[in-house]
Amino acid sequence: MNPLVLPGVYAPQEDTDLLAGALSEESLPPGSDVLDVGTGSGALALEAARRGTRVTAVDVSRRAVYAARCNAWRAGLSVRVLRGNLFDPVRGQTFDLILANPPYVPAPNGGRTPRGPARAWDAGGDGRLVLDRICREVPGLLRPGGVLLLVHSALSDPDRTVGHLRAAGMKASVTRRRRIPFGPVLRSREDWLRRRGLLSRGENDEELVVVRAELPR
């Protein structure tokens, strides 16, 4: 069943699929608590719920929250969907697994707050507006032995992500990679990215990565 995707809601794409593959490799006993942050249409939340886990999904977009709730209902799955900015709706709670497909595309107007659909991909001049916040805050939301699975573009510096997570005491590494053709957003920014040195002259595709980080027991 194809998910309901409302206008302005991030539709499942290659990054969603890459993260779903990483999720499929995790050992999740029934009843594990999973958080899907930046859920969009809820595709990853539903994948986790099919494993018999207790899933909370969060998105800042009202339309995304509505779409995720509808998709859970259509699939006959129990998912708690909350509206809010990143981890704000789940303060004081901890999870066995956190899934994150945040905004990560470098944006020429990096100093402005993204609005509308661009909130799903624009992430400041270096693409790390949300990634750095995740790295800072996620250790306090994981139980001992808990895992973060985070997908983003190689344009937004996976080594920095891994370094921040290791500095926070987590065991972190890039576990999946996939090269994909440029989508419409990157095509529109290609010249700017080359001027910034984020793309080489002959580079015509984007590498996506999944970073896996585990909190020691």
Side-chain angles (χ1 to χ4, degrees):
M1 180 177 61
N2 293 327
L4 169 70
V5 181
L6 298 176
V9 175
Y10 189 75
Q13 298 182 39
E14 291 274 3
D15 49 6
T16 314
D17 184 66
L18 191 63
L19 194 54
L23 171 62
S24 71
E25 296 178 347
E26 293 295 324
S27 175
L28 283 173
S32 299
D33 287 301
V34 175
L35 173 65
D36 179 26
V37 63
T39 194
S41 66
L44 290 164
L46 299 186
E47 285 297 315
R50 291 185 183 101
R51 302 271 299 273
T53 64
R54 290 191 297 263
V55 181
T56 300
V58 173
D59 204 290
V60 72
S61 163
R62 287 185 176 86
R63 289 186 179 188
V65 168
Y66 178 78
R69 287 174 177 167
C70 286
N71 286 323
W73 176 79
R74 292 170 72 214
L77 295 168
S78 176
V79 176
R80 181 176 64 148
V81 186
L82 306 175
R83 179 176 177 265
N85 188 344
L86 205 60
F87 300 123
D88 288 349
V90 293
R91 294 293 176 200
Q93 302 172 48
T94 56
F95 299 88
D96 301 295
L97 178 72
I98 295 176
L99 301 163
N101 184 1
Y104 54 71
V105 178
N109 57 347
R112 301 182 200 165
T113 301
R115 300 183 65 83
R119 289 184 300 181
W121 55 78
D122 279 358
D126 59 2
R128 298 201 56 89
L129 186 66
V130 181
L131 289 169
D132 286 339
R133 184 177 164 194
I134 290 173
C135 292
R136 287 194 305 270
E137 298 184 18
V138 79
L141 290 146
L142 285 170
R143 295 168 184 164
V147 169
L148 166 71
L149 295 175
L150 168 65
V151 66
H152 68 82
S153 172
L155 296 172
S156 40
D157 200 348
D159 289 342
R160 185 169 162 185
T161 299
V162 169
H164 283 334
L165 292 167
R166 287 178 177 173
M170 302 184 72
K171 179 181 178 181
S173 63
V174 173
T175 56
R176 284 182 171 242
R177 298 179 183 268
R178 180 183 297 175
R179 299 203 76 91
I180 63 170
F182 288 157
V185 174
L186 283 189
R187 282 198 301 271
S188 71
R189 298 177 186 178
E190 195 171 340
D191 290 343
W192 177 78
L193 290 166
R194 293 191 199 284
R195 290 196 301 271
R196 286 284 309 277
L198 295 173
L199 283 177
S200 62
R201 182 175 296 274
E203 197 173 0
N204 293 305
D205 57 12
E206 176 188 18
E207 184 178 47
L208 300 176
V209 303
V210 172
V211 174
R212 183 185 189 275
E214 183 173 342
L215 191 68
R217 293 185 182 277

